[in-house]
Amino acid sequence: MLSMIGLLGGLVLLIILTMRGMNLLVVAPFCALLVAVLSGLPLFPQLAGENEANLVSNYMGGFSGFVAAWFLMFLLGAIFGKVMEDSGAADSVSKWIVEKLGMKQAVLAIVLACAILTYGGVSLFVVAFSVYPMAVGLFKQANLPRRFIPAALAFGSVTFTMTSAGSPEIQNWIPIEYLGTSPYAGWEVSAIVALFMAGFGYWWLRKMISRAVAKGEVFEAREDDPKVAEKELPHPVAGMLPLVVVLIISYLFHDSLEQSALIVALLGGVVAAFLLNRKYFTDFWEAVSAGTLGALIAIGNTAAVVGFGGVAKVVPAFDTAVEAMTNIPGSPLIGGAIAVSVIAGMTGSASGGQAIALPILAPHYIDAGVNAEALHRTVAISSGALDSLPHNGYVVTTIRAICGETHQAAYGAVGALTVIVPLLGLALAVILFSVGLGI
């Protein structure tokens, strides 16, 4: 009981302190300490037995493991975004989109840009880094409140694209290992759910922005915003080509290099941006330095939350919660969806929710005759719901490190689009599979 209080209390405290704008590098280990103390977990490796879990080892294991896996992608993604910003390429593309689509389509342009890159295999974090400079330009041109930029970025990246059939994102590939399916599992239902989430979510986002504008909110410029409007800008095609290069290289090398394809793709994007737009740079190396600093802040904040998850998943209460979630009576699709979604919420990771639940769920449900394709798609969609609570690494990075907003200002819209909309899509998927569609 005490362990469960510690686990839930630590999670709630982490969310509250995150919403209040506290420094995650301090808050996350403090909340992990609360979980460890109330669960009786040894604090230091010297106090634990051989190979026994302890606070320091598990927290730093999660922290350093994330940095080791993602540092180069964060670094190159941040540099790529800054290079696009400093050269004026992002501003050029944003102005072209506004001219072609009109001011009212600025939000749609951002959502589509994120969706195309995400479905093309570009990492969610990298997409946020890459599209943000363009988003600032578009919101500035359309005079829309900038606090909705994180919502636009997140909606285009982690909802109807991340967990859809055919998506190269890891959330669509993890179930393959356990269910023997393909990335196109349940594609009929997936297409319907994706269209629903895209349509309803975009309508809701536009509604929230319209209400804010009606109340007098406008775009508020900042000193560190790119100052490219007063100088000659690259041609929109030259501005767009580096994004295309990232997308193409990522697609071509995704199967052979997997995650490492992003390193090649982003490096190619930086080189393309430099070669195509070199005469428009204010200071190329200053942009590289600014991107490097941004990457360190972003990956530090995210790794801090991942470290918390590394502690949470080794305490006794977590095993109890997982066992309860994976033995929910009723429809296996509902039970699997709830289990993955709740675990993803506790760990702050969609892939983490799948990786923990599927080894337990898959054999049991497959032996019971559950359709593997339906379970694959349901699990994939459910992993992208509660994972987007305020402490999620992507959410923290996008709101704070990339967009420079506060949770108080930006998370309301982000939560609506990345938690509620996917939950509604999940319910629709379960209903469609239950009536036999796609099975």
Side-chain angles (χ1 to χ4, degrees):
M1 175 61 73
L2 198 58
S3 179
M4 184 63 70
I5 293 174
L7 177 61
L8 296 178
L11 179 60
V12 170
L13 183 62
L14 177 59
I15 293 173
I16 292 174
L17 295 179
T18 301
M19 290 294 293
R20 292 177 65 87
M22 301 291 287
N23 189 317
L24 276 172
L25 291 172
V26 175
V27 166
F30 174 76
C31 293
L33 173 63
L34 176 65
V35 174
V37 169
L38 292 182
S39 300
L41 193 70
L43 300 185
F44 305 103
Q46 294 82 359
L47 302 178
E50 186 176 358
N51 297 324
E52 184 180 355
N54 62 86
L55 170 66
V56 172
S57 296
N58 284 85
Y59 184 87
M60 292 311 302
F63 187 103
S64 60
F66 185 85
V67 173
W70 290 98
F71 176 70
L72 289 178
M73 276 68 81
F74 268 68
L75 177 65
L76 289 170
I79 290 175
F80 179 62
K82 281 296 182 181
V83 165
M84 290 288 289
E85 173 187 302
D86 189 75
S87 66
D91 203 57
S92 176
V93 172
S94 69
K95 284 190 173 183
W96 180 80
I97 291 174
V98 169
E99 291 173 358
K100 296 299 180 182
L101 299 181
M103 295 286 188
K104 293 183 179 180
Q105 303 304 320
V107 177
L108 177 61
I110 297 168
V111 172
L112 288 178
C114 291
I116 291 170
L117 288 174
T118 302
Y119 205 78
V122 181
S123 161
L124 305 175
F125 292 99
V126 172
V127 170
F129 276 119
S130 302
V131 179
Y132 172 68
M134 185 181 77
V136 172
L138 286 170
F139 267 63
K140 183 177 182 180
Q141 290 288 322
N143 197 29
L144 300 176
R146 67 186 302 154
R147 68 184 180 91
F148 289 99
I149 292 179
L153 296 175
F155 175 60
S157 301
V158 303
T159 55
F160 60 92
T161 52
M162 181 180 78
T163 59
S164 293
S167 171
E169 299 297 335
I170 191 173
Q171 291 79 6
N172 183 47
W173 284 71
I174 290 177
I176 296 174
E177 177 183 352
Y178 301 99
L179 300 174
T181 48
S182 79
Y184 299 96
W187 68 267
E188 302 95 332
V189 169
S190 178
I192 295 173
V193 172
L195 288 173
F196 164 75
M197 287 198 290
F200 177 69
Y202 178 69
W203 171 83
W204 198 0
L205 176 58
R206 287 294 311 167
K207 192 76 172 177
M208 288 186 286
I209 294 176
S210 296
R211 287 178 179 174
V213 171
K215 293 179 180 179
E217 289 192 47
V218 296
F219 183 87
E220 296 180 358
R222 295 173 181 165
E223 291 184 2
D224 57 351
D225 283 341
K227 305 293 191 302
V228 295
E230 299 177 357
K231 71 173 188 177
E232 184 183 3
L233 299 175
H235 190 279
V237 174
M240 181 66 74
L241 280 176
L243 285 171
V244 176
V245 168
V246 172
L247 183 61
I248 292 175
I249 294 179
S250 176
Y251 177 78
L252 291 177
F253 291 95
H254 186 271
D255 290 338
S256 58
L257 297 180
E258 298 179 343
Q259 182 174 296
S260 296
L262 293 174
I263 299 175
V264 181
L266 288 167
L267 184 59
V270 172
V271 173
F274 176 77
L275 293 178
L276 290 169
N277 306 304
R278 58 186 180 276
K279 73 176 184 177
Y280 299 100
F281 278 98
T282 301
D283 189 331
F284 175 79
W285 291 111
E286 179 60 32
V288 171
S289 297
T292 302
L293 180 60
L296 291 174
I297 295 173
I299 200 168
N301 283 333
T302 308
V305 177
V306 174
F308 172 86
V311 174
K313 68 182 182 182
V314 298
V315 300
F318 191 83
D319 290 336
T320 302
V322 170
E323 182 177 359
M325 291 297 104
T326 53
N327 287 282
I328 296 174
S331 169
L333 295 182
I334 296 177
I338 293 175
V340 171
S341 190
V342 171
I343 295 171
M346 287 192 293
T347 59
S349 168
S351 56
Q354 291 186 11
I356 292 170
L358 279 174
I360 303 170
L361 289 174
H364 174 70
Y365 285 160
I366 295 301
D367 290 344
V370 178
N371 183 276
E373 292 205 353
L375 184 59
H376 175 138
R377 190 54 47 209
T378 303
V379 164
I381 296 173
S382 66
S383 71
L386 294 184
D387 73 307
S388 298
L389 292 176
H391 66 295
N392 169 263
Y394 169 82
V395 171
V396 171
T397 297
T398 301
I399 290 178
R400 292 194 184 185
I402 298 177
C403 298
E405 299 292 339
T406 64
H407 270 64
Q408 293 96 322
Y411 184 74
V414 172
L417 298 173
T418 63
V419 176
I420 297 177
V421 170
L423 285 175
L424 294 175
L426 173 61
L428 177 60
V430 171
I431 292 171
L432 293 175
F433 280 126
S434 298
V435 298
L437 184 62
I439 299 178

